[in-house]
């Protein structure tokens, strides 16, 4: 499915259970029509990865996800030679080698003949495509999510440049492989380090912040239908207050949802300090954070 | 439209944003797809293309507001837009006045050109001048005996004087040129000049303080060493010093183990098929020896800048000791000490045992520890001499209290340093609640760091080192 306009993006994303702001929808629409990658920034847990999933859902394209980490190299991201197959092949060739050189009269001719076979080792037959190659070789256009690109090394980032601007990759042994279809690319970053200007230039930029209270309410309403309005309001405001504290890890949307879920299970109709204290594990992931929150229970609860 | 976008991009560039022609082209091609009269969409489009980092967003929005709202609305009279003449009578009058100012001031007017262009609705040069003043780095002149780091302020002052000069002149001329039959009043013209000059004053005096949301601010740590862990380094007794040293030694040993483990693991790479096949030739094609692609260890470099002035004296020794240990464990560390000048101390650390090395930093490094601390000038010196040490693999570690005796902090150099390296981590030996008091520039520098944390006791130090390497 292609997007018709910004309103259509909002509609389609909402239908696939993602509530976008107009800004997010505009950027997604622009990226879709101009086939440019989007570089998505924002704190952890605001729905950067979720956005990619929803786009793949509503565009009806498969999602190919590439998780970046330190030390990631092109063998893991792009392609790998299937060495087991290659080794087997050598064994087979060893048996056949007599038949290849049989017709040769001189030694140099035999060598020539063998060297003709050599390229066979590095042909697409032995190439095992990894996410990036899969994405551009796919017959059907896909959504390619390059997650946490800031965790990868500068070398890897440089290597992405060719892919992002020309949608092609160069494999030394084979040559350049051009994309069959242009994927919809999203790169996410938590700002662990700054990306290079060259990469930024190839992308359009989107910053997603923690959602406004109204948007967050809508998200909870969507994911947990039937939650009581008064409880919802209190719950979202409490989480929002908690985000203002000096925490090691601030609660994100998915934690709000977990908490809401557990409150539903407990059949709570209001949030009391005691209730918050006993369900704190759903929101807080560090012992020291929990202690800080417990100290300020009264002021946090909205 | 193209005209407007290129002009706007020029203004963005003048204000220090990085906008390349490609981005302008992208903008133009995307404009076909959205309704440009919908302001939210229009602004989102420009922002998605011109701003590529959250840190630049506030600056962009400021320029956007200035360019598309303040300059435009004050310069155009909406009710007169229907005439064929692009200039309304009021605009003509404004231009007349600007011309008169140019004539009246003669030679002097040249210095005022940027400001006058800005008043006429063309802010690019003026923005660029303001940007330059904000970014100014003084050249140390030999003629000036007194070391000063205040050039930015004095330059700002001269522009402020220019603004005042023009204000007086414009008000005077606005009165003189009042002609019968005008559809606007003299007050309107005066108001126009008033707001424009106020705004230029504002632009000039407001420091650009970029917002740094991605900043990792580590203010608390889990307590581990209950007795000595929370005591500030500065107040340790000799006995406690010994114990602290034991703990840090243990930590250093752990670090060394870790480094060895990394070396041991490096040979477990991917099978190197070419090499394996090549060696298999010796055994008639049977791959008896497997060869792996040995991945060279990625050597993260650390460049450390340590403030050794009097104000952090007690902590400086500790920090130097830690730096010494780090340098023992990893070979990619370069250490520098500074007060108002920078000196490399890597060789001192390399050739001497720890205590001697630290003594020598104070006696032999060539740093005058009696000088006033001046972070700005230290940064300038660092940029002159050692900037090449920073690369995309470098972690820049700055240790200091950011107290700069009210000198120009030169935060733009720190920004430049950050652009060159992988990340910037600032360790401050003062407690967090004092960071915005007195001459501390911590809040200025904070905008350009990837991570800041107080580091004044053992617990904080241990946590930091573990997170740095583990």
């Amino acid at each position: 499915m292609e997007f018709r306009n910004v309103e259509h993006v909002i509609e389609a994303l909402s239908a696939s259970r993602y509530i976008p702001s107009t800004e997010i929808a505009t950027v997604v629409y622009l990226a879709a029509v101009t086939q440019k990658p989007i570089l998505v920034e924002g704190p952890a847990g605001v729905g950067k990865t979720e956005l990619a999933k929803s786009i793949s859902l509503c565009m009806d394209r498969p999602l190919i996800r590439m998780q970046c980490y330190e030390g990631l190299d092109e063998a893991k991201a792009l392609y790998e030679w299937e060495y087991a197959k290659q080794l087997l092949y050598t064994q087979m060739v060893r048996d056949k080698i007599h038949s290849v050189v049989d017709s040769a009269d001189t030694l140099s001719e035999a060598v020539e003949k063998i060297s003709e076979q050599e390229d066979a080792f590095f042909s697409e037959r032995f190439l095992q495509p990894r996410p990036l190659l899969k994405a551009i070789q796919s017959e059907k256009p896909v959504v390619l999510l390059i997650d946490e690109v800031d965790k990868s090394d500068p070398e890897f980032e440089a290597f992405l440049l060719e892919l992002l601007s020309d949608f092609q990759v160069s494999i030394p042994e084979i040559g350049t492989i051009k994309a069959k279809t242009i994927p919809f690319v999203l790169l996410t970053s938590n700002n662990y380090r700054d990306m290079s200007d060259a990469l930024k230039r190839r992308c359009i930029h989107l910053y997603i912040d923690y959602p406004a209270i109204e948007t967050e309410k809508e998200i909870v309403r969507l994911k947990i239908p039937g939650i009581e309005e008064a409880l919802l309001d209190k719950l979202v405001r409490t989480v929002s207050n908690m985000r203002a504290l000096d925490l090691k890890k601030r609660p994100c949307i998915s934690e709000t949802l977990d908490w809401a879920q557990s409150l539903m299970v407990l059949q709570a109709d209001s949030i009391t300090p005691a209730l918050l204290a006993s369900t704190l594990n759903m929101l807080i992931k560090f012992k020291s954070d929990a202690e800080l929150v417990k100290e300020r229970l009264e002021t946090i609860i909205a | 439209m193209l005209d407007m976008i290129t002009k706007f991009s020029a203004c963005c560039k003048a204000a220090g944003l990085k906008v390349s022609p490609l981005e302008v082209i992208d903008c133009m091609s995307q404009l076909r797809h959205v309704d440009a009269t919908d302001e939210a969409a229009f602004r989102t489009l420009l922002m998605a293309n011109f701003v590529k980092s959250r840190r630049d967003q506030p600056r962009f929005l400021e320029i956007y507001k200035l360019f598309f709202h303040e300059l435009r609305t004050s310069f155009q009279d909406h009710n007169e837009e229907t005439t064929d003449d692009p200039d309304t009578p009021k605009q003509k009058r404004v231009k007349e006045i600007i011309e008169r100012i140019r004539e009246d001031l003669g030679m002097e007017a040249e210095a005022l050109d940027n400001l006058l262009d800005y008043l006429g609705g063309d802010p690019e040069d003026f923005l660029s001048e303001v940007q330059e003043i904000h970014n100014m780095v003084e050249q140390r002149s030999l003629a000036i005996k007194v070391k000063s780091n205040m050039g930015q302020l004095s330059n700002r002052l001269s522009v402020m004087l220019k603004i005042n000069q023009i204000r007086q002149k414009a008000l005077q001329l606005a009165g003189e040129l009042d002609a019968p039959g005008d559809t606007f009043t003299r007050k309107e013209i005066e108001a126009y000049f008033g707001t424009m000059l106020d705004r230029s004053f504002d632009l000039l005096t407001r420091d650009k303080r970029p917002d740094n949301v991605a900043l990792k601010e580590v203010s608390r740590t889990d307590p581990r060493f209950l007795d000595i862990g929370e005591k500030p380094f500065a107040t340790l007794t000799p006995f406690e010093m010994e114990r602290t040293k034991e703990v840090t030694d243990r930590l250093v040993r752990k670090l060394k183990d870790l480094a060895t483990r990394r070396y041991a693991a490096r040979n477990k790479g991917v099978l190197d098929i070419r090499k394996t096949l090549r060696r298999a030739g010796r055994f008639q094609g049977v791959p008896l020896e497997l060869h792996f692609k040995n991945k060279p260890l990625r050597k993260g470099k650390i460049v450390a800048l340590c403030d050794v002035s009097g104000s952090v004296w007690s902590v400086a020794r500790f920090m130097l000791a830690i730096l010494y240990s780090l340098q023992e464990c990893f070979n990619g560390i370069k250490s520098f000490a500074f007060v108002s000048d920078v000196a490399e101390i890597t060789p001192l650390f390399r050739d001497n045992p720890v205590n001697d090395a630290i003594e020598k930093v104070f006696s032999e490094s060539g740093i005058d520890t009696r000088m006033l601390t001046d972070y700005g000038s230290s940064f300038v010196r660092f940029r002159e001499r050692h900037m090449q040490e920073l690369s995309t693999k470098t972690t820049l570690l700055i240790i200091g209290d950011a107290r700069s005796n009210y000198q120009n902090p030169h935060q733009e150099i720190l920004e430049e340093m950050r652009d060159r390296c992988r990340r910037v981590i600032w360790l401050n030996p003062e407690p967090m609640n004092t960071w915005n008091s007195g001459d501390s520039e911590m809040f200025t520098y904070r905008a350009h760091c990837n991570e800041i944390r107080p580091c004044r006791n053992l617990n904080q130090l241990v946590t930091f080192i573990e997170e740095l390497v583990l």
Side-chain angles (χ1 to χ4, degrees):
Chain A
M1 186 183 73
E2 295 302 320
F3 295 124
R4 286 192 301 274
N5 50 35
V6 178
E7 288 73 38
H8 184 214
V9 177
I10 298 183
E11 236 169 73
L13 282 177
S14 309
S16 59
R17 297 166 71 82
Y18 186 93
I19 312 271
S21 65
T22 328
E23 199 186 332
I24 295 177
T26 310
V27 173
V28 169
Y29 174 67
L30 288 175
V33 289
T34 55
Q35 300 190 321
K36 278 216 132 199
I38 310 180
L39 174 64
V40 193
E41 274 188 321
V46 289
K48 300 189 288 290
T49 310
E50 204 56 37
L51 176 65
K53 287 186 191 161
S54 302
I55 290 175
S56 100
L57 205 64
C58 67
M59 288 181 100
D60 191 24
R61 293 181 175 197
L63 175 73
I64 294 185
R65 184 171 172 176
M66 161 95 235
Q67 176 69 46
C68 297
Y69 50 87
E70 241 179 270
L72 175 69
D73 59 6
E74 54 197 77
K76 285 175 196 129
L78 190 58
Y79 65 88
E80 168 94 283
W81 293 106
E82 283 193 80
Y83 57 85
K85 232 179 182 179
Q86 280 177 324
L87 280 176
L88 269 176
Y89 198 76
T90 353
Q91 291 300 305
M92 278 152 54
V93 170
R94 205 168 67 96
D95 298 337
K96 293 276 172 217
I97 207 147
H98 296 296
S99 61
V100 174
V101 297
D102 259 356
S103 58
D105 295 330
T106 62
L107 187 62
S108 64
E109 202 179 321
V111 170
E112 197 66 37
K113 283 207 164 169
I114 291 173
S115 69
E116 272 170 27
Q117 314 293 320
E118 210 174 74
D119 277 353
F121 285 107
F122 294 106
S123 65
E124 285 195 43
R125 191 194 318 250
F126 296 114
L127 203 60
Q128 200 169 40
R130 301 280 174 173
L132 297 185
L133 192 60
K134 261 190 209 155
I136 63 167
Q137 275 188 324
S138 161
E139 298 288 341
K140 202 173 167 250
V142 299
V143 173
L144 172 63
L145 167 64
I146 304 178
D147 218 356
E148 304 195 332
V149 65
D150 51 336
K151 298 272 162 61
S152 67
D153 306 313
E155 292 87 354
F156 180 75
E157 191 190 321
F159 150 83
L160 273 181
L161 295 179
E162 186 186 4
L163 181 83
L164 292 182
S165 58
D166 302 329
F167 294 104
Q168 63 175 40
V169 290
S170 304
I171 298 175
E173 293 89 345
I174 294 181
T176 308
I177 297 184
K178 267 211 158 294
K180 289 185 181 148
T181 50
I182 308 268
F184 188 110
V185 187
L186 286 117
L187 300 104
T188 71
S189 155
N190 276 334
N191 236 325
Y192 179 70
R193 71 180 172 84
D194 283 350
M195 309 312 294
S196 70
D197 286 343
L199 183 90
K200 288 181 186 163
R201 212 164 34 238
R202 281 163 177 79
C203 306
I204 53 180
H205 180 263
L206 173 65
Y207 180 81
I208 307 183
D209 208 344
Y210 286 115
I213 286 183
E214 282 311 312
T215 319
E216 190 160 14
K217 274 201 225 166
E218 214 171 312
I219 296 171
V220 180
R221 233 178 266 141
L222 182 78
K223 305 266 175 172
I224 306 173
I227 189 163
E228 211 183 302
E229 225 19 67
L231 177 70
L232 174 65
D233 185 67
K234 208 159 184 194
L235 174 137
V236 170
R237 282 177 197 282
T238 306
V239 175
S240 167
N241 288 346
M242 213 178 278
R243 280 186 195 135
L245 289 181
D246 170 30
L247 297 178
K248 272 190 179 170
K249 187 188 174 309
R250 300 201 165 108
C252 61
I253 300 176
S254 67
E255 276 141 10
T256 314
L257 289 171
D258 288 346
W259 193 41
Q261 194 86 59
S262 55
L263 291 187
M264 292 286 279
V265 171
L266 293 174
Q267 297 183 325
D269 46 8
S270 172
I271 297 170
T272 58
L275 181 67
L276 175 58
S278 62
T279 52
L280 206 54
N281 321 20
M282 306 306 290
L283 291 164
I284 298 292
K285 309 289 172 185
F286 284 96
K287 191 169 158 255
S288 53
D289 283 357
E291 277 160 15
L292 185 77
V293 172
K294 277 182 190 155
E295 272 172 31
R296 313 216 178 141
L297 278 179
E298 299 293 337
T299 50
I300 289 172
I301 293 177
Chain B
M1 188 59 115
L2 178 64
D3 209 35
M4 187 164 77
I5 299 287
T6 43
K7 214 165 171 195
F8 178 63
S9 82
C11 285
C12 287
K13 271 185 265 183
L17 294 175
K18 289 176 192 154
V19 180
S20 69
L22 181 76
E23 272 134 12
V24 179
I25 296 171
D26 280 349
C27 251
M28 290 313 294
S29 72
Q30 287 166 13
L31 269 172
R32 282 183 289 142
H33 300 288
V34 296
D35 179 9
T37 52
D38 173 1
E39 202 197 333
F42 180 68
R43 193 182 47 220
T44 306
L45 185 151
L46 286 180
M47 189 150 80
N49 284 291
F50 284 8
V51 180
K52 297 291 166 83
S53 154
R54 162 71 172 163
R55 269 179 293 143
D56 293 334
Q57 265 184 13
R59 212 182 321 167
F60 170 86
L61 291 174
E62 209 170 278
I63 301 163
Y64 180 89
K65 197 164 129 231
L66 179 79
F67 189 87
F68 287 105
H69 290 280
E70 297 178 346
L71 282 179
R72 233 144 259 279
T73 45
S74 46
F75 207 65
Q76 282 171 353
D77 275 334
H78 290 290
N79 49 2
E80 289 175 75
E81 262 176 343
T82 43
T83 52
D84 291 337
D85 192 353
D87 287 346
T88 61
K90 186 177 153 192
Q91 275 168 274
K92 275 190 194 153
R93 173 63 45 84
V94 167
K95 283 190 178 159
E96 262 173 48
I97 293 177
I98 293 172
E99 278 316 306
R100 276 288 297 276
I101 297 176
R102 272 188 220 275
E103 279 169 29
D104 284 7
L105 293 175
M107 289 297 282
E108 267 179 77
E110 262 177 44
L112 303 172
D113 255 354
N114 292 343
L115 198 54
L116 289 171
D117 283 348
Y118 163 79
L119 290 176
D122 186 6
E124 185 189 330
D125 290 332
F126 180 67
L127 279 176
S128 152
E129 189 182 340
V130 170
Q131 175 74 10
E132 234 168 72
I133 291 174
H134 283 316
N135 283 358
M136 223 197 61
V137 177
E138 300 90 298
Q139 303 300 320
R140 180 180 277 188
S141 152
L142 288 174
I144 302 171
K145 288 282 187 291
V146 185
K147 195 178 92 50
S148 114
N149 192 359
M150 295 282 176
Q152 192 193 37
L153 296 180
S154 67
N155 262 350
R156 217 188 270 186
L157 198 68
S158 84
V159 179
M160 285 179 190
L161 290 176
K162 283 186 210 164
I163 292 176
N164 277 343
Q165 198 181 352
I166 290 187
R167 191 190 297 271
Q168 281 172 0
K169 202 82 198 158
L171 291 184
Q172 179 198 340
L173 287 172
E176 282 176 18
L177 291 173
D178 211 2
D182 279 340
T183 48
F184 48 86
T185 58
R186 175 181 156 187
K187 270 220 172 83
E188 280 178 303
I189 295 282
E190 282 175 2
Y192 173 79
F193 278 104
T195 35
M196 291 296 278
L197 287 164
D198 282 348
R199 206 162 286 143
S200 61
F201 199 81
D202 232 31
L203 278 175
L204 190 69
T205 46
R206 199 171 3 161
D207 268 338
K208 62 176 175 101
R209 289 272 159 96
D211 191 13
N212 192 1
V213 275
L215 177 76
K216 184 175 171 196
E217 213 173 78
V218 184
S219 51
R220 291 169 315 113
T221 48
D222 297 322
R224 295 160 200 244
F225 304 100
L226 285 174
D227 46 349
I228 47 172
E230 294 295 320
K231 258 189 129 171
F233 287 138
T235 62
L236 292 179
T237 62
F239 173 69
E240 285 166 335
M241 284 276 222
E242 269 312 301
R243 286 218 38 216
T244 310
K245 217 179 145 315
E246 269 169 37
V247 174
T248 47
D249 282 350
R250 211 157 53 216
L251 193 68
V252 166
R253 261 203 307 284
K254 209 157 127 196
L255 285 179
K256 278 185 186 162
D257 284 352
L258 194 86
T260 340
R261 255 209 315 280
R262 277 171 32 152
Y263 274 99
R266 74 173 162 176
N267 285 343
K268 288 184 185 156
V270 183
L271 189 74
D272 186 342
I273 189 74
R274 287 186 204 184
K275 223 171 178 181
T276 306
L277 284 180
R278 205 155 57 224
R279 293 295 163 90
R282 285 204 223 154
F283 313 105
Q284 299 186 335
V286 181
L288 284 181
E289 273 178 37
L290 295 185
H291 286 266
F292 294 92
K293 281 184 181 161
N294 288 354
K295 240 193 281 168
L297 270 191
R298 227 169 39 80
K299 279 188 197 149
K301 272 173 53 190
I302 297 181
V303 169
L305 279 169
C306 190
D307 179 357
V308 291
S309 64
S311 60
V312 285
W313 190 85
S314 55
V315 185
R317 274 160 201 270
F318 241 101
M319 292 300 170
L320 286 171
I322 289 302
L323 222 51
Y324 186 90
S325 326
L326 282 177
Q327 196 171 316
E328 262 190 330
C329 290
F330 300 94
N331 28 23
I333 299 194
K334 295 232 174 208
S335 312
F336 298 88
F338 68 91
V339 174
S340 73
D341 199 352
V342 177
E344 182 166 0
I345 50 174
T346 322
L348 287 180
F349 276 11
R350 198 179 46 221
D351 305 333
N352 296 295
V354 57
N355 288 329
D356 295 357
I358 292 173
E359 283 318 312
K360 282 187 179 173
V361 168
F362 291 100
S363 59
E364 286 179 20
S365 64
I367 299 259
D368 189 349
T369 45
R370 289 160 305 176
M371 293 286 279
L372 284 179
T373 324
D374 185 345
Y375 278 70
S377 86
S378 299
F379 284 157
V380 174
R381 295 290 99 74
F382 184 84
R383 178 162 79 170
E384 272 169 17
R385 296 188 213 135
H386 307 294
M387 205 59 167
Q388 71 281 2
E389 302 293 348
L390 302 180
S391 73
T392 46
K393 289 183 180 165
T394 322
T395 297
L396 176 63
L397 190 64
I398 301 176
I399 302 167
D401 58 2
R403 298 213 172 265
S404 200
N405 295 303
Y406 302 102
Q407 311 267 19
N408 184 350
H410 281 308
Q411 72 267 31
E412 76 287 344
I413 301 187
L414 186 63
E415 189 179 6
E416 204 180 301
M417 282 150 81
R418 172 178 165 151
D419 282 346
R420 286 181 70 114
C421 63
R422 187 184 169 88
R423 55 187 173 148
V424 178
I425 303 177
W426 193 300
L427 299 181
N428 194 325
E430 285 190 359
M432 237 170 175
N433 50 16
T434 62
W435 286 3
N436 204 19
S437 65
D439 58 345
S440 174
E441 295 285 355
M442 201 56 211
F443 277 48
T444 317
Y445 290 134
R446 171 165 92 160
H448 307 294
C449 296
N450 295 66
E451 195 177 316
I452 54 176
R453 38 169 96 219
C455 187
R456 57 196 312 266
N457 59 40
L458 191 60
N459 283 339
Q460 287 167 338
L461 183 69
V462 169
T463 314
F464 165 67
I465 295 188
E466 286 186 352
E467 282 178 20
L468 178 72
V469 239
L470 300 186

